Amino acid sequence: MKHVLMAISGPSGVGKGTIVKTLISRREDVVESVSCTTRKPREGEIDGKHYFFLEKEEFLRRIGENDFLEYNEHFGNYYGTPKSFVEKTLESKSIIMEIEVVGALNAKKVFPETVLVMIVPPSIEELKKRLIGRGTEGKEEIERRLARLEFELSHKDQYDYVIVNDDLETAIAEIEKIIDKE
Ligand code: ADP
Ligand code: 5GP
């Protein structure tokens, strides 16, 4: 059985985290890659579970050691996917990376089998509603994330699949179908 390395991207607030968390809780053969970041932990976030939280110096050192499958500077912080985890885990399970577009396209360059999935909102209004409704960012940070929206969506033609997250269960089912097909 071949395992899939899937990168899921899409604008902040579109529902990537919700989709991935739900899917992983239902499938033993799929895991989520835990990224490294220099961003500070949010309340309730656990080091090693949600992210590996690193100081910038440590992150830069690991870039120098070629430790990341891909990385990017995003919203003022570094984010990257540890290469060793991906290589080891792919032998037995499929992996979902929830990463932004620049990192996802770089991952595909390094590892062409990477399946790129873009999640898009049913409408911009609905996206704003979700982002505000989540309540994890202040007004300024929400504006910053919305400003990135066009950039993320403008890369959708470079993705293998584009999925609209209107009904959550439908979106999850579509991703499962891709994993099984690929
Ligand atoms: P992302 O990880 O893409 O930033 P989240 O998974 O945190 O987005 O989702 C943002 C908000 O939208 C959350 O409050 C989540 O519960 C809600 N949400 C996700 N998917 C749907 C959906 N299909 N319909 C309505 N609300 C959704
Ligand atoms: P957050 O700070 O909300 O957890 O994540 C912000 C953004 O960083 C999200 O769009 C997410 O997709 C992206 N991201 C998280 N981990 C990685 C990673 O390892 N590499 C890249 N390139 N982006 C990531």
Side-chain angles (χ1 to χ4, degrees):
M1 162 113 190
K2 207 169 149 279
H3 301 285
V4 178
L5 179 63
M6 177 181 280
I8 291 192
S9 311
S12 189
V14 74
K16 302 180 296 292
T18 308
I19 290 172
V20 173
K21 224 180 320 125
T22 312
L23 195 151
I24 282 176
S25 71
R26 294 177 186 172
R27 294 205 36 163
E28 296 215 327
D29 59 334
V30 186
V31 293
E32 185 172 12
S33 149
V34 180
S35 296
C36 296
T37 184
T38 58
R39 152 164 99 56
K40 296 285 165 264
R42 293 188 190 123
E43 207 176 310
E45 282 185 330
I46 299 163
D47 187 42
K49 181 173 177 213
H50 298 95
Y51 282 103
F52 293 103
F53 295 99
L54 305 182
E55 293 300 326
K56 189 173 171 188
E57 294 67 33
E58 170 73 0
F59 198 102
L60 295 177
R61 187 185 64 73
R62 291 185 55 171
I63 292 175
E65 292 182 352
N66 199 20
D67 269 2
F68 296 115
L69 174 71
E70 62 71 37
Y71 69 89
N72 192 26
E73 199 179 352
H74 191 50
F75 300 136
N77 290 298
Y78 283 97
Y79 294 82
T81 305
K83 197 174 8 183
S84 57
F85 169 83
V86 170
E87 287 171 349
K88 200 162 54 184
T89 308
L90 261 190
E91 290 169 15
S92 57
K93 288 174 194 275
S94 291
I95 302 175
I96 297 181
M97 306 178 286
E98 197 197 314
I99 61 180
E100 49 68 58
V101 288
V102 176
L105 295 170
N106 281 337
K108 183 124 182 156
K109 270 188 221 145
V110 178
F111 189 76
E113 292 94 331
T114 309
V115 179
L116 301 185
V117 177
M118 166 93 57
I119 313 283
V120 299
S123 69
I124 302 303
E125 279 318 303
E126 173 64 18
L127 177 73
K128 286 183 186 164
K129 219 165 74 187
R130 288 183 194 172
L131 201 49
I132 293 165
R134 185 171 67 182
T136 49
E137 282 85 17
K139 195 162 174 284
E140 201 177 303
E141 186 60 28
I142 287 176
E143 289 303 325
R144 199 169 171 198
R145 286 171 184 242
L146 286 174
R148 169 104 181 164
L149 176 69
E150 294 296 332
F151 176 79
E152 290 270 329
L153 295 179
S154 72
H155 288 80
K156 80 174 190 287
D157 292 348
Q158 286 162 277
Y159 273 62
D160 300 306
Y161 300 91
V162 177
I163 291 176
V164 182
N165 180 22
D166 190 354
D167 174 62
L168 182 63
E169 284 301 329
T170 308
I172 293 169
E174 283 183 52
I175 293 177
E176 286 206 77
K177 232 182 344 188
I178 296 168
I179 292 174
D180 294 334
K181 190 177 103 185
E182 295 273 351

